[in-house]
Amino acid sequence: MKGIVLAGGSGTRLFPLTLVTSKQLLAVYNKPMVYYPLSVLMLAGIRDILIISTSSAVPVMRSLLGDGSKLGLNLSYAVQEEPRGIAEAFLIGAGHIGGDNSALILGDNLFHGAGFPESLRRSRESLDGCTLFGHPVPDPERYGIGEVDSEGMLVSIEEKPPRPRSNNAITGLYFYDNQVVDIARGLAPSPRGELEITDVNLEYLKQGRARLIGLGRDCTWLDCGTYDSLLAASQYVQGIEKHQDERVACLEEIALRMGFIDAEACYELGAGMRQSNYGRHLTEIAYALD
């Protein structure tokens, strides 16, 4: 399975913070926002990842993350000049996907929970068509909502319904088989001029091959696209790391635990940042897991 992080857009809801930088390069507590979606793909066992962003942000992200080899990954980059819809990621990334299945995650989404990594791996292994990930929300009329049958198969998708049939919001994480590229190529732009991911999902729904995995209340999902949600995400990560002695989206530790790199490589990455708590944690975890 190939991974895609869609980290484009102009971040207008976060002006003036994003006037001179990409939203996905802003800090969420102690690391850049883009670390969080990358960590999700890594936890799913995906190592070949395309990062799509703006022409001004791509060089900075490449400087930050490189080719991914230090993390045991293969990272590549592509430009989305204008925000022409989430589904355009499959047109931009068609060569990257090739004949494989794909996982797409939005660059401002944060996921965390004890059972989340296992849910990712099971969903990847059992993929047949399209797998979406739902999270219960108190205000479903503000989201795209998925209704499922007793076996978890989608029976309807509604965008911001005035009378929601469920409270399962469809999050910014999507698993697709290889047909998604052809589906995206056949889409017509919506009235707002974008290739809508909902239209992709509706095509799989028509085929009877769309599943919604409920993440449950023990999993946290945050969209960091507003001032308040960006602050809430930072406070959430701070609370977990300080009070539960657990690191959220620590890419080097994930790479070590997933077997992408060895303890010596993890130690060297930490030693290069030894003046920070983040770096010291990496050297300590490398010793502990050696």
Side-chain angles (χ1 to χ4, degrees), residues 211-275:
R211 178 177 295 277
L212 182 73
I213 302 298
L215 295 176
R217 297 189 182 278
D218 61 340
C219 180
T220 295
W221 167 55
L222 294 169
D223 175 341
C224 307
T226 67
Y227 304 128
D228 289 341
S229 61
L230 181 63
L231 176 60
S234 290
Q235 292 173 331
Y236 173 82
V237 174
Q238 181 191 41
I240 294 293
E241 297 201 357
K242 284 192 172 296
H243 303 304
Q244 298 186 26
D245 195 28
E246 176 189 349
R247 299 304 184 271
V248 182
C250 180
L251 301 185
E252 298 84 355
E253 180 179 353
I254 293 171
L256 175 61
R257 292 185 182 276
M258 293 293 293
F260 299 169
I261 62 174
D262 59 22
E264 181 180 357
C266 183
Y267 180 87
E268 290 177 358
L269 291 171
M273 297 182 281
R274 65 171 62 90
Q275 292 181 327

Side-chain angles (χ1 to χ4, degrees), residues 141-162:
E141 65 280 356
R142 294 181 54 240
Y143 297 88
I145 297 297
E147 180 188 11
V148 299
D149 62 18
S150 59
E151 296 182 352
M153 300 302 293
L154 273 168
V155 297
S156 74
I157 300 174
E158 296 180 290
E159 285 295 323
K160 300 180 179 179

